[in-house]
Amino acid sequence: MTTRRNFLYAGGLAGLGGFYFMESAAAAKGDDIIKMQAPEQNPDRDLWEKEGKHLRVALIGCGWYGKSDLFRMIQCGGEKIEVVALCDVNQKILHEAGALVAERQASKKTPVLYKDYRQMLSENKLDVCLVGTPDHWHALPMIAAVEAGCDVYVQKPIAVDVIECHAMFKAARKHQRVVQVGLQRRSTPILVDAKKRFIDSGEIGEVAYVNMFCDYGQRERILTPTQPPEELDFDFWTGPAPMRPYYNTYHLRSWRAFMEYGNGTIGDMGVHMFDMVRWLLNLGWPARVTSNGGIFVNRKGTPNISDTQNTLFEYENLTVSWEHRHWSEVREPRFGWGSTLFGTKGTLKANSTACDFKPLGNAPWHKVDAATEFDRYPSDETEPGLEVRVAGANRAHMWNFLARIVDRGRPVSDIEEGYISSACCILGNISQALNGATLEWDAENVCVKDNPEANALLRRTYRAPWKHPEA
């Protein structure tokens, strides 16, 4: 018998080709975890495969996630994608990326390699540019790319300060470019299904409180400065950020441990969860942001990001909270990082790889894990550093980007959404810096109401000769 409840499970992702939560006898026990099936169809993929044209593509920032994004684009775009140029200030990483791209792209050609993104943009007629640099290097290359006529895929958070975020948003609109932000929870199949199945259907009831959290992250480490390797132009890598000592962990993603290059854990992990919650609940800018925290435990370590932080984003009849701790046990291994949405009829736990729902009362949990797609993409099994269980979400996100290049619509994680989510997390850090001041945001005038101290922190000082972008 087909009931409305069963229909919602079976059709929750009908638009994405048959994803579903798979209500079954096993799931009904409340003990077993169901693995979501991979999609058979995807409207964005179908549009791209039918109408997509040959694209000349470049990547700025060839490290961990830059390559991951580029390889997903090659997987999704196939022979229509030609990677013609790569840019990185680390020559070893750059040449390794060039060889890997030559192996993977259909033409087997090695892209032209550059150290300076400005030279790359001026010497090539590009259709698409991916920006996969560390956070402090997102704004200038992204703006230069849209000015050069590129559609852009830029990693999250889109910038390190609020004025950078606003300038990127305005540049994309001025030059009428498609810009997708790497906030791929909006394309994560189990979350797309959960949104339709539990939230849009009303099954969760009214959501009045959301707790976003991260129980792991940078632990206490004492680092010793060293000389940068010969293959790295460290001055160029530092760019507009303040010059700091070089630590040999930077290229292993540990630049995230320093506020000069990013926005701490709330700007790294928190922006994913906050953007996810905004999308799930159809939220825009919060009315107020308040945050407290600091380095409470890891006081002897070299990193300078907060090891403890609590942030409140206040909406009408809804509070969204963020908390992270770098020093305690993970409260629940299945959700060491994620969000819990509390509704009047049920509770939803979600992150990038798992999604559980429990109706109010004694009903069991419905537990679902993200699918892996080794049968369709065997290279996923051998790609170094690949986040395997989110590779499918990244592909869906990339197909959405490619489809919007075709029809010139707004992608699911449009630059405006990236602007709001990134800026709000940055406002959390500003509130913390001002001893927990409550910040009331004026989006129209791009300022905090009646708070000159906070407004002075919306823009960071750029190291010469780099110039801060203006909207």
Side-chain angles (χ1 to χ4, degrees):
M1 177 180 179
T2 301
T3 65
R4 179 177 182 273
R5 179 181 177 85
N6 291 329
F7 174 78
L8 282 168
Y9 267 109
L13 278 185
L16 287 180
F19 283 110
Y20 52 93
F21 239 81
M22 301 196 317
E23 183 172 33
S24 66
K29 294 177 184 177
D31 299 322
D32 297 324
I33 298 173
I34 301 302
K35 179 166 285 190
M36 171 167 272
Q37 292 185 352
E40 296 298 330
Q41 296 177 329
N42 182 312
D44 289 330
R45 179 179 64 192
D46 295 344
L47 177 61
W48 165 254
E49 292 179 350
K50 181 180 179 180
E51 300 185 28
K53 301 296 194 325
H54 178 266
L55 297 178
R56 290 171 57 83
V57 176
L59 167 66
I60 303 172
C62 300
W64 172 43
Y65 237 83
K67 288 196 295 289
S68 181
D69 287 336
L70 184 62
F71 293 160
R72 303 293 80 69
M73 173 168 275
I74 292 171
Q75 285 179 334
C76 294
E79 295 183 357
K80 297 175 185 178
I81 299 298
E82 181 187 5
V83 182
V84 299
L86 299 173
C87 179
D88 202 283
V89 296
N90 186 310
Q91 292 301 299
K92 180 180 178 181
I93 290 175
L94 179 63
H95 282 82
E96 288 174 350
L100 289 169
V101 170
E103 290 177 6
R104 286 175 174 254
Q105 68 175 342
S107 70
K108 302 303 180 184
K109 293 181 180 178
T110 300
V112 181
L113 307 180
Y114 293 88
K115 184 174 79 171
D116 192 323
Y117 70 92
R118 297 165 297 185
Q119 181 184 2
M120 184 191 77
L121 291 171
S122 67
E123 291 184 358
N124 295 274
K125 178 60 178 176
L126 300 169
D127 301 301
V128 174
C129 185
L130 286 74
V131 179
T133 59
D135 299 354
H136 70 288
W137 259 120
H138 284 178
L140 292 178
M142 179 271 178
I143 293 171
V146 298
E147 290 175 345
C150 298
D151 295 319
V152 174
Y153 189 106
V154 60
Q155 261 304 325
K156 60 78 203 171
I158 66 170
V160 172
D161 72 50
V162 174
I163 301 304
E164 283 181 329
C165 295
H166 183 248
M168 295 165 76
F169 164 62
K170 297 296 286 187
R173 292 292 188 262
K174 176 181 177 181
H175 297 282
Q176 301 181 38
R177 296 293 91 198
V178 176
V179 179
Q180 177 86 299
V181 179
L183 290 164
Q184 65 270 38
R185 299 292 76 76
R186 293 171 180 254
S187 297
T188 300
I190 52 174
L191 297 176
V192 176
D193 189 30
K195 177 175 168 58
K196 293 182 178 181
R197 166 70 175 85
F198 301 117
I199 297 175
D200 296 347
S201 70
E203 186 163 352
I204 196 172
E206 181 182 358
V207 177
Y209 181 71
V210 178
N211 174 233
M212 310 178 297
F213 55 88
C214 181
D215 292 343
Y216 56 81
Q218 302 282 345
R219 301 293 175 173
E220 186 167 70
R221 293 175 300 160
I222 298 175
L223 303 175
T224 302
T226 186
Q227 289 296 313
E230 292 184 3
E231 64 265 18
L232 173 65
D233 185 334
F234 185 57
D235 184 79
F236 205 157
W237 184 92
T238 300
M243 180 58 72
R244 283 189 54 93
Y246 174 80
Y247 302 105
N248 62 12
T249 59
Y250 281 163
H251 70 286
L252 300 174
R253 313 167 198 171
S254 289
W255 53 265
R256 291 176 173 82
F258 298 92
M259 291 298 290
E260 289 83 355
Y261 312 132
N263 283 293
T265 305
I266 192 174
D268 180 29
M269 310 292 278
V271 69
H272 270 305
M273 289 297 100
F274 182 60
D275 186 74
M276 181 190 81
V277 170
R278 288 204 314 107
W279 162 68
L280 288 173
L281 299 179
N282 302 312
L283 303 173
W285 291 96
R288 291 170 295 278
V289 179
T290 307
S291 186
N292 288 278
I295 302 176
F296 293 169
V297 176
N298 301 334
R299 295 184 296 274
K300 296 180 181 179
T302 308
N304 61 19
I305 63 171
S306 298
D307 63 19
T308 308
Q309 189 169 13
N310 288 82
T311 305
L312 297 181
F313 304 95
E314 297 181 60
Y315 292 87
E316 184 178 2
N317 300 321
L318 170 66
T319 295
V320 178
S321 71
W322 163 260
E323 59 179 274
H324 73 256
R325 301 185 303 275
H326 291 176
W327 43 266
S328 65
E329 288 187 328
V330 173
R331 72 189 80 179
E332 184 179 353
R334 184 165 164 77
F335 290 98
W337 165 57
S339 297
T340 305
L341 289 76
F342 296 92
T344 55
K345 298 180 182 178
T347 300
L348 179 67
K349 294 182 181 180
N351 64 14
S352 56
T353 60
C355 190
D356 299 350
F357 180 77
K358 182 185 179 301
L360 200 65
N362 295 322
W365 283 94
H366 301 277
K367 299 179 180 181
V368 180
D369 273 353
T372 53
E373 299 179 298
F374 295 145
D375 55 334
R376 301 180 189 184
Y377 303 97
S379 62
D380 283 5
E381 287 195 87
T382 59
E383 184 175 320
L386 178 65
E387 294 180 304
V388 170
R389 285 201 293 172
V390 300
N394 288 342
R395 277 186 283 269
H397 212 49
M398 196 61 71
W399 270 313
N400 179 262
F401 177 49
L402 292 171
R404 301 295 78 78
I405 291 174
V406 172
D407 64 20
R408 308 311 297 171
R410 298 275 166 82
V412 67
S413 191
D414 174 63
I415 184 63
E416 184 172 13
E417 303 298 344
Y419 167 33
I420 295 172
S421 294
S422 300
C424 287
C425 291
I426 297 169
L427 288 172
N429 284 333
I430 292 175
S431 170
Q432 178 182 300
L434 298 177
N435 299 313
T438 296
L439 308 182
E440 187 174 356
W441 181 245
D442 182 343
E444 182 177 354
N445 294 303
V446 194
C447 68
V448 178
K449 295 179 181 179
D450 303 319
N451 196 323
E453 281 187 287
N455 288 322
L457 298 177
L458 297 178
R459 176 198 304 267
R460 62 183 170 130
T461 300
Y462 267 33
R463 190 173 68 100
W466 304 101
K467 304 294 185 183
H468 199 288
E470 305 295 335

